Amino acid sequence: SRRNTKPNGQRDTNMRLIAVLLAIIAFVSAHSQMRCLHYVNGACRAAIRDETQSQNSQAYRVNQNPNNPCQTGAGSPLTSKYGGNAGSSPFGNFSEGTSLNVMWFGRNHAVADQTPRTVVMYLSPVGDANKADPTLDQFKQKPFCTVPYMSNCGAGDTVACTAQCALPTGIPSGYYTVMWYWDWTVNDGNIYTTCADIFVGGSGSVDGSDASSLSLASALIFAIIASFM
């Protein structure tokens, strides 16, 4: 078996660093956010905006910064906040009326007595590839889906909750931003939002070959921990 030859002081220091890292991870992961706009067969086929940064940051509280309704600013063009290579943060391309399989992590809030029990999806006004984000009030003019927070999932931290949400029909072709909205003010005083940008009017959702892995961040975390051991 492998023998640990590091001095006790070094091991103690490493264990403290690991404890700090795990505490940071727990803080970042607390509460919930949309993880993927269209989650199919274990893969994300339409990513959230600035996926890596968004998933590794604390869930966004829009009530603390109401002038910025999304977790990060819009790109110019919008596609610049998404990966350009197969397998990295695909930009959603859909037809009107497409049914999206929206995914978020339960974060131990998906329990029978969780209140409020709903997530609302909003659609921005249409624009071109360089459109700016609308205000929160403008987003809220077009809700297109309301689903239970505890949707197809049970209790647990990284348990995936999923819900089918169909894009509206009869909307013009162009670029849109979809907002995932969870009002939890009755519990912790905060409203959580996550945005994803899409194009509507194409041939449908992006091909599965562009799927992004949700396990990448976990693999990185374990690699960092292992380096201290």
Side-chain angles (χ1 to χ4, degrees), residues 111-119 146-151 182-183:
V111 294
D113 61 350
Q114 188 273 325
T115 302
R117 295 187 173 90
T118 56
V119 165
T146 300
V147 296
Y149 183 90
M150 188 177 180
S151 178
W182 181 40
D183 184 342

Side-chain angles (χ1 to χ4, degrees), residues 4-196:
N4 192 336
T5 58
K6 294 182 179 179
N8 288 338
Q10 181 64 50
R11 287 199 299 272
D12 290 344
T13 299
N14 289 348
M15 292 306 295
R16 285 194 293 270
L17 288 171
I18 291 171
V20 170
L21 177 63
L22 291 175
I24 292 172
I25 293 166
F27 175 74
V28 164
S29 298
H31 306 301
S32 196
Q33 60 182 188
M34 177 170 62
R35 303 288 288 188
C36 178
L37 181 63
H38 190 41
Y39 187 67
V40 181
N41 297 326
C44 187
R45 298 189 180 183
I48 61 174
R49 182 185 293 173
D50 212 349
E51 181 183 46
T52 300
Q53 176 182 323
S54 297
Q55 292 187 356
N56 292 334
S57 299
Q58 187 180 15
Y60 184 63
R61 296 162 166 84
V62 71
N63 54 288
Q64 296 182 3
N65 194 7
N67 291 327
N68 295 314
C70 296
Q71 75 275 16
T72 184
S76 183
L78 293 175
T79 52
S80 66
K81 292 284 186 174
Y82 298 80
N85 301 318
S88 62
S89 304
F91 187 89
N93 182 355
F94 300 101
S95 299
E96 60 177 282
T98 297
S99 182
L100 306 174
N101 192 43
V102 183
M103 193 272 274
W104 60 93
F105 284 163
R107 297 300 187 205
N108 297 307
H109 301 306
V111 294
D113 61 350
Q114 188 273 325
T115 302
R117 295 187 173 90
T118 56
V119 165
V120 182
M121 303 295 292
Y122 294 102
L123 189 67
S124 76
V126 67
D128 61 22
N130 296 301
K131 78 175 188 67
D133 282 333
T135 65
L136 184 58
D137 286 341
Q138 288 172 326
F139 263 115
K140 295 178 78 172
Q141 290 175 14
K142 198 170 185 65
F144 69 93
C145 186
T146 300
V147 296
Y149 183 90
M150 188 177 180
S151 178
N152 299 312
C153 60
D157 184 18
T158 57
V159 174
C161 303
T162 59
Q164 295 290 317
C165 287
L167 288 170
T169 57
I171 57 176
S173 295
Y175 289 87
Y176 293 85
T177 301
V178 177
M179 172 184 282
W180 180 94
Y181 182 98
W182 181 40
D183 184 342
W184 211 38
T185 52
V186 296
N187 287 271
D188 73 349
N190 292 301
I191 299 170
Y192 297 89
T193 62
T194 315
C195 293

